Amino acid sequence: MKTNKKIATCAVTLALHFVGQLALAQEVETDQEEQPAPGNVPEMPVSEQQQIEEVVVTGRFISSSQQLVNERMTDAFATDLLGADTISRLGDSTVGAALRRVPGLSLVADKFVYIRGLGERYSSTSLNGAQIPSPDLTRNVIPLDVFPTSIVESLRVQKSWSPSLPANFGGGAVDIRTKSIPSGFTASFEVGSGSNSEASGSGLSYAGGGDDKWGTDDGTRAISQDLLNSIDQYQGQIGVQSLLSSLRAQDPTVTLADAQALNRSMGLELNRSFSAQTRSLPADINVRGSLGNSWDLNDDWQFGALFGGSYRANWRETVALARNFNFPDERTDTERETRHAVTLAGTASFGLNFTEDHEISTTTLWLRNTDDETAVTDFFNENREKSDGLGWRNYRFQFEQRAMLTNQISGTHFLGAATRERLPGLVAGLIDWLPEASQISWFVSDSEATTDIPNQLQVSSQTTTDPVTGAVLSEAVTLSSQAADFRFTDLDDEVENYGWAATVPVETARNYFELSGGWQTSRKARTYRQSQYSIGALSVADTPTLSGTLDEVFSDAVILDPANNFVFDRQGTNNESYIAATITDAVFGAVDWTYEDTWRVAVGARWEDYRQAAVNWNPFGYSQSSPQVTTDPVALEEGTFSDDKVYPSAAMTYMTELWAETFQLRLGWSETAVRPDLREITGSSYIDPITDDLTRGNAGVVPSDITNYDLRGEWFFGNGDNLTVTLFRKDIDKPIEFFESAASDTTIAREILNANEATVEGVEFEFLKELGFMGGIFDTMFLQGNVTIQDSELVCDANAVLACEADAPTNPTRALSGASDYVANLMLGFDAPNAKHTASIIYNEFGERLYVAGRNGAPDGFEQPFRSLDLTYFWYPTDTMTLKLKAQNILDESVTIEREGIAVFQEKPGTSFSISFNWSL
């Protein structure tokens, strides 16, 4: 099978060529200006009267927090920031976990961030301002659990859109900013360990590979080359009858037994050394370090470098209970899962400065995040209910390795005095009219994300059980040709993002103008390949054979025994694999005007030419009647989409001294869009690799147009206290949502559709308050927190002019999926007067949120509030040493989903404890 990147490249080229034929507008010419990565625009001057006075405080957290205040103040658009010191104090190990502390943000499935009640498709993630690929198997969205907080300098969440950001903007944009070049020598090393209350004893495991501790498979699980060669030889037709036909075409004397023997021998090429075993679970391991320095090469040149790396491994045990809403006592599903997670990260950054005017920096980031899962599920359904004393057992073994490699280079150049002095006279004269603060910036980013599942195995068994308790009394592998299901998955997602911009400030006695413009290009290509095979017995000579351990039932001797009718074959519908690509060219411009340091108005627009293509890919296509990629123009058109539009924005800020040294009142308005994702524009159906739901695409789905409104008041006090109140509203036309659709009793199906409209509105409160005014022990304590109260409504009206075509939703008007009524964060911090101790109590809670929308009268399912209470304590025995103690989910809360008061799902993540020692210079 020639299923390499050449095929993918040809298919993407063909599909995008077809998009080009459909596009109404011409592509952006290459001589247009490009956009810089966010964060490269110089800060607007702020008058001395409006600057926050520098306050010397003992508290380590208060001091570090002030470093981000000026950036937030001088930004024309509503922004929230989390610095490295804050993240460390919160005790979160991943970017996703840290972001749930930001006002209006909640974390779903431990990896996706919902901003202001909008699902993951309505948020975007960038790295140092550049777009990056996603290792998620079916979506563009980036799972934020792959990023360890050890690489982070700060996290920037922009909730009010500006033209410097991609127009694909809904709830907000998250920028992960990695650690920068140090000003001098720095070194750090940290080692730690921990445990979880649910994983304190024994767990499940199986025989894996020799490199599992490094989060990579050594080939043990992978599909063998011999099997791939056999599949190529017989052009994917490896069923018994197909083999018999192929063999008889060459030798008419071949018998059915010969074809069966060949079929079984192919099945032996699968890794069948699996069996769920019990093992003790070791403690967590956490090691990280960094080394950096900068050197003055001469009076003008400075060079710096920073290297970092981290390794984290842990074992977690969970037990999840699911119930059927209509038959909660008879049809249940209990899953015991043990997960071995390994995360590695490495960074290398270099910087070169020439005078104060020019800076070039590079960043290389490598990540690997691996989950190795072993699960046993006992369940009852409509065919075998609990009271029958009969049930089912499903074994699952899954090794998923996600990786990302990013290389970035960027430059910032000012036309300052040092530059003008060194330019030839003629050139200096040509730019003499430009202010010295004029800036040119550029960036280039090349990233690749991969996901490799060398084997996802599920084995089905039938059980006899206690009709009262449901306890398993005996089990036997199911008599079925699909008793054991093997899936092999490979994802490759590549993104090239580059651009440049220019900024020219103009200042008069009473006015300050900043004129900016730029151009940016993004190219994304994705290939996703999934193959699926099954092996099982249609009959066996001796029934007890099926009651042995899994590796005994599927041993060579049992499979090859002619008395046992084992069958091996290829499964799937030939459309699980796909190829997708997007191209975005964008031009933006803005005018930022400040009048007498009191009024500020920023107006701008962004033009984007967006093209998207997705085509099904059949790796087992060997003929013109069944090609790997279709050349049918109708099918190609169905999988393409283009969008050419101008997106405006406006922001106004009033600055004065109202109740505080600095008060800012911001008003923001913008128009943006959220576009269909990858496969959603194809009309084909496929099995979602994460949920196993039958997912139906929709060639008629269109982008959601969003109008954003923000009104934000900010008070910054001289002692470091601050208060922010924000009112926000989003009107969404034709929101893109998943709706449940009709399917069989044992299959869950969903389809992507445009609803009619949706709105999200709410208010956010954020504050930081030193408690010294209370005296005594409170002198070195502070309280920080935020609360978001919001309401969302989605309308799916089948009788509207543009009808919503959802299949019989129970509630045509409902909340948006994943939207909470409220999100609250609170941190009480203590910084010892001698600077030797810090402690924090951190509380996070989100309100009830819609998990699944019902259909045909079935009630909606809501995830119940989760109340997380964490504790961190740091001891600084010397200036270079730190001892850290952390406890998370002290209340031992459970994840619960209810339908009309009935708990249809429950899972306990447990309470985690960790200790670490850090040495740094």
Side-chain angles (χ1 to χ4, degrees), residues 240-418:
V240 172
Q241 291 301 321
S242 297
L243 288 174
L244 182 60
S245 298
S246 297
L247 294 173
R248 281 182 173 174
Q250 302 174 18
D251 183 358
T253 64
V254 171
T255 65
L256 176 62
D258 295 330
Q260 290 175 325
L262 176 59
N263 174 266
R264 292 173 186 143
S265 67
M266 289 185 186
L268 297 184
E269 294 297 328
L270 296 170
N271 173 38
R272 290 157 292 108
S273 296
F274 53 80
S275 188
Q277 305 165 355
T278 301
R279 61 158 296 169
S280 61
L281 301 182
D284 301 347
I285 301 173
N286 186 12
V287 180
R288 64 181 181 180
S290 64
L291 182 67
N293 200 0
S294 61
W295 300 268
D296 292 326
L297 305 180
N298 56 36
D299 291 341
D300 294 329
W301 293 91
Q302 184 184 55
F303 175 75
L306 177 66
F307 303 93
S310 64
Y311 172 86
R312 187 175 76 248
N314 61 54
W315 291 80
R316 292 293 180 266
E317 171 95 352
T318 58
V319 176
L321 174 63
R323 299 180 180 89
N324 181 284
F325 169 75
N326 294 309
F327 306 93
D329 296 324
E330 287 287 348
R331 302 176 187 177
T332 63
D333 185 318
T334 304
E335 180 185 70
R336 180 190 178 191
E337 178 190 274
T338 302
R339 183 181 74 254
H340 180 211
V342 177
T343 300
L344 292 95
T347 59
S349 301
F350 300 93
L352 183 66
N353 293 347
F354 177 66
T355 68
E356 296 181 352
D357 290 346
H358 305 277
E359 177 183 355
I360 296 177
S361 60
T362 70
T363 299
T364 295
L365 170 65
W366 174 80
L367 300 172
R368 178 193 291 160
N369 178 273
T370 302
D371 289 331
D372 189 7
E373 299 173 350
T374 307
V376 177
T377 304
D378 293 313
F379 64 98
F380 305 92
N381 59 19
E382 65 275 10
N383 298 316
R384 290 183 160 216
E385 294 188 332
K386 183 178 178 180
S387 60
D388 296 335
L390 300 172
W392 305 91
R393 170 168 284 184
N394 184 71
Y395 293 89
R396 179 171 58 85
F397 309 90
Q398 180 170 328
F399 186 93
E400 181 173 344
Q401 175 185 316
R402 300 177 292 180
M404 179 183 293
L405 176 63
T406 300
N407 291 294
Q408 299 179 332
I409 180 171
S410 61
T412 305
H413 311 277
F414 290 92
L415 302 179

Side-chain angles (χ1 to χ4, degrees), residues 42 355-358 412-421 428 431-440 503-507 512:
T355 68
E356 296 181 352
D357 290 346
H358 305 277
T412 305
H413 311 277
F414 290 92
L415 302 179
T419 298
R420 296 168 190 255
E421 292 173 359
I431 66 171
D432 189 57
W433 62 277
L434 290 171
E436 292 189 359
S438 299
Q439 173 192 345
I440 297 174
T503 304
V504 178
V506 178
E507 189 170 6
Y512 175 84

Side-chain angles (χ1 to χ4, degrees), residues 5 103 153 170 300 321 325 354-355 426 488 515 562 756 842 877 892:
K5 287 189 178 180
E153 179 76 21
D300 294 329
L321 174 63
F325 169 75
F354 177 66
T355 68
L426 179 60
F488 303 88
L515 311 177
N756 299 100
I842 306 129
D892 198 22

Side-chain angles (χ1 to χ4, degrees), residues 762-799:
V763 57
E764 294 173 349
F765 301 91
E766 183 179 7
F767 64 89
L768 172 63
K769 176 62 180 174
E770 289 189 83
L771 302 180
F773 68 95
M774 300 177 66
I777 192 175
F778 296 99
D779 282 344
T780 55
M781 296 180 69
F782 64 89
L783 189 66
Q784 183 193 37
N786 57 74
V787 177
T788 300
I789 303 172
Q790 61 192 18
D791 180 61
S792 69
E793 182 180 86
L794 178 139
V795 178
C796 181
D797 186 358
N799 299 316

